[in-house]
Amino acid sequence: MDHELQAGKNFAWASIAQVVIRVIGAFFFFFLSYKLHEIGLGQYSFVYSYVPFWFFIVDFGATAYLYREWSKNLKTEKEIQHDLGTLITVRLFLASIIFIPFLLINYITNRDVYYSAIMFFFVTLMVMIIQVFDYYLQSQNSFKIFAKRQIIEKGTAVLLGVALLMIWPKVEMVFLAAIMGMFAALYYYYRSRVIPFKIKMVWDLRGFWSLFKKSVPFFLGSIFITIYARIDMTMLRYMDSYESVGWYSVAYKFIDLAVTFPGVLLMPAIFPILSSLYNASDDKEKFNEFYKKICRILMVVGLGATLALIFYAPLIIRVFFTDSFGPSILALRILALSVVLGFISILFNQLLLIQNREKTALYIIMFGAFFNIGLNLILIPRYSLYGAAWATVLAEGVNLLL
């Protein structure tokens, strides 16, 4: 099949799923702001940003590495079956190791959101198991099945979440609904038999060690990407208040929606195509043409999104949220500057991975993460959520320059 046609089909299915889940997800977020108010929304956003830090060791970068290798279409079905079994086994084992320290430390440091954190721990673990199947399906250009799974999961979580919050408006209800959504996704994959072979638990220490060594750049990259993307809300919680986290999370929600286009829709749809073209010795010219076309698209869309968010920030916040979320307007205008920068950075980062230059990508994101932390330490005590917003913009600019 022509690479542009395949990319178009992938993009179409990814777009359908993302439009659906982003719309109902945005509705649910607005609903949360009314039911939980600033402090409750801040608690939800903090837990959502904080818990994934505990899963650095559980991921160890293997999924990103295997996704790249599977996308090359050079592995046999038996090798992929072994990869999947090994990855799931190791993730379950490592998660069981960190669970006890997680319980003890959070009982001391985050007792006000303790049960929410425990529930989101299990949500995150289930996400990481499902993610293994997601990446396999994407590497095989099976975006239709992957898209349906996303819709089923999100729809289940939102419907149950609304019902539970109407009964008991507590943060814990949100994460309970999320767990039910994960079970629905797993059941869909099981009933659909989307994997063409049986998944077996594989305890292969030698294979795991080999996989770990190859995945180290991806492992370190995932650590610093998580720090880079989530550290602001965590630092706001400890250096300011849940209320500030709530205001900031509202502004950041629209940045997250904007970045859906390159990060969730476009790049996953074209990554297997770009990787295949780059690794085909006779398709370098096609690769260059395709790459330049994607770059132009991202520049135009990213600039348009940035300008729209800056000019319409007051209208956006006032339409969807109560007057108590007024501080989110300026935060959104500041964060909007990071959108066009982030669009191009995502493309450049994917290009480095395709070229097997993951170490270069790692060094860039490491510097960006530390730079972001340093700026947050300086700016949050003085400017609260606005300091966190400027830290994000400046770090994104430095990341793109590097």
Side-chain angles (χ1 to χ4, degrees):
M1 181 181 292
D2 180 76
H3 63 275
E4 292 193 8
L5 178 59
Q6 182 64 67
K9 287 189 173 183
N10 292 349
F11 183 79
W13 278 110
S15 298
I16 291 170
Q18 287 302 313
V19 167
V20 172
I21 68 175
R22 295 287 167 164
V23 168
I24 61 177
F27 157 76
F28 189 55
F29 189 81
F30 303 149
F31 181 75
L32 288 180
S33 72
Y34 283 94
K35 298 300 290 186
L36 302 179
H37 307 292
E38 301 97 302
I39 294 177
L41 190 63
Q43 291 176 331
Y44 163 77
S45 300
F46 165 69
V47 172
Y48 189 84
S49 299
Y50 165 76
V51 172
F53 286 119
W54 284 83
F55 281 80
F56 286 151
I57 190 175
V58 178
D59 178 65
F60 67 90
T63 310
Y65 166 75
L66 288 174
Y67 176 51
R68 186 189 70 185
E69 297 304 304
W70 294 338
S71 295
K72 294 177 181 177
N73 295 318
L74 300 177
K75 285 203 169 195
T76 66
E77 186 176 289
K78 187 175 182 180
E79 289 174 325
I80 294 175
Q81 181 183 25
H82 185 272
D83 288 340
L84 288 170
T86 300
L87 196 53
I88 291 172
T89 303
V90 171
R91 285 190 169 181
L92 290 172
F93 174 72
L94 294 176
S96 67
I97 291 177
I98 67 171
F99 185 58
I100 299 303
F102 177 86
L103 291 177
L104 295 175
I105 291 174
N106 283 283
Y107 183 76
I108 298 171
T109 61
N110 293 307
R111 197 174 300 183
D112 48 352
V113 289
Y114 186 60
Y115 295 109
S116 295
I118 292 173
M119 285 189 280
F120 196 59
F121 181 96
F122 288 104
V123 171
T124 307
L125 175 59
M126 295 173 76
V127 166
M128 298 189 77
I129 299 301
I130 294 171
Q131 185 186 63
V132 177
F133 303 118
D134 290 344
Y135 273 104
Y136 167 73
L137 292 171
Q138 290 179 70
S139 72
Q140 305 302 305
N141 291 305
S142 298
F143 278 73
K144 179 179 179 180
I145 299 169
F146 169 57
K148 289 182 178 180
R149 192 280 298 166
Q150 290 181 300
I151 294 172
I152 290 170
E153 175 205 318
K154 194 70 172 183
T156 302
V158 167
L159 287 173
L160 289 176
V162 170
L164 290 171
L165 285 170
M166 293 295 290
I167 298 170
W168 193 27
K170 296 289 184 180
V171 179
E172 291 84 352
M173 298 298 98
V174 181
F175 297 114
L176 178 59
I179 292 174
M180 295 300 102
M182 291 296 116
F183 277 118
L186 285 171
Y187 182 74
Y188 167 71
Y189 272 170
Y190 172 75
R191 293 293 298 175
S192 301
R193 303 188 184 279
V194 296
I195 307 299
F197 41 76
K198 290 184 178 181
I199 303 299
K200 300 178 180 178
M201 304 290 279
V202 177
W203 190 252
D204 179 6
L205 289 177
R206 182 176 297 179
F208 163 68
W209 181 244
S210 174
L211 179 61
F212 176 78
K213 288 190 292 184
K214 294 175 182 177
S215 303
V216 165
F218 296 92
F219 169 49
L220 296 175
S222 68
I223 291 177
F224 290 104
I225 287 172
T226 304
I227 293 173
Y228 185 80
R230 298 177 182 271
I231 196 64
D232 42 8
M233 291 192 198
T234 302
M235 294 180 73
L236 264 176
R237 179 261 188 266
Y238 289 112
M239 300 175 71
D240 203 328
S241 65
Y242 281 125
E243 194 173 41
S244 294
V245 177
W247 290 328
Y248 185 79
S249 67
V250 163
Y252 204 89
K253 182 66 177 178
F254 293 97
I255 306 305
D256 184 52
L257 289 172
V259 178
T260 297
F261 175 71
V264 182
L265 294 179
L266 187 62
M267 289 314 303
I270 68 171
F271 184 86
I273 313 299
L274 281 173
S275 181
S276 178
L277 288 174
Y278 184 82
N279 288 284
S281 58
D282 58 339
D283 280 339
K284 295 300 181 184
E285 186 175 343
K286 289 183 179 179
F287 171 82
N288 290 330
E289 291 177 359
F290 193 50
Y291 178 79
K292 290 177 182 178
K293 184 182 293 185
I294 298 302
C295 193
R296 288 193 295 269
I297 291 172
L298 289 175
M299 281 289 292
V300 172
V301 177
L303 184 59
T306 292
L307 293 175
L309 288 172
I310 290 174
F311 286 116
Y312 295 108
L315 178 63
I316 292 170
I317 299 300
R318 287 168 184 158
V319 166
F320 293 108
F321 300 94
T322 61
D323 291 341
S324 62
F325 285 93
S328 301
I329 295 174
L330 179 56
L332 177 56
R333 281 179 158 166
I334 297 170
L335 285 169
L337 299 172
S338 69
V339 172
V340 67
L341 302 175
F343 272 38
I344 305 302
S345 293
I346 289 172
L347 177 61
F348 288 173
N349 181 70
Q350 295 299 304
L351 178 61
L352 290 173
L353 297 181
I354 289 170
Q355 294 174 331
N356 295 324
R357 296 171 61 192
E358 52 268 18
K359 289 185 178 179
T360 302
L362 170 62
Y363 297 146
I364 292 172
I365 198 65
M366 281 177 63
F367 183 85
F370 286 124
F371 187 67
N372 194 14
I373 291 172
L375 287 174
N376 277 309
L377 287 171
I378 295 170
L379 297 176
I380 288 177
R382 295 185 179 184
Y383 306 108
S384 185
L385 68 156
Y386 308 122
W390 276 116
T392 297
V393 172
L394 293 173
E396 195 67 62
V398 170
N399 183 56
L400 179 59
L401 290 174
L402 294 176

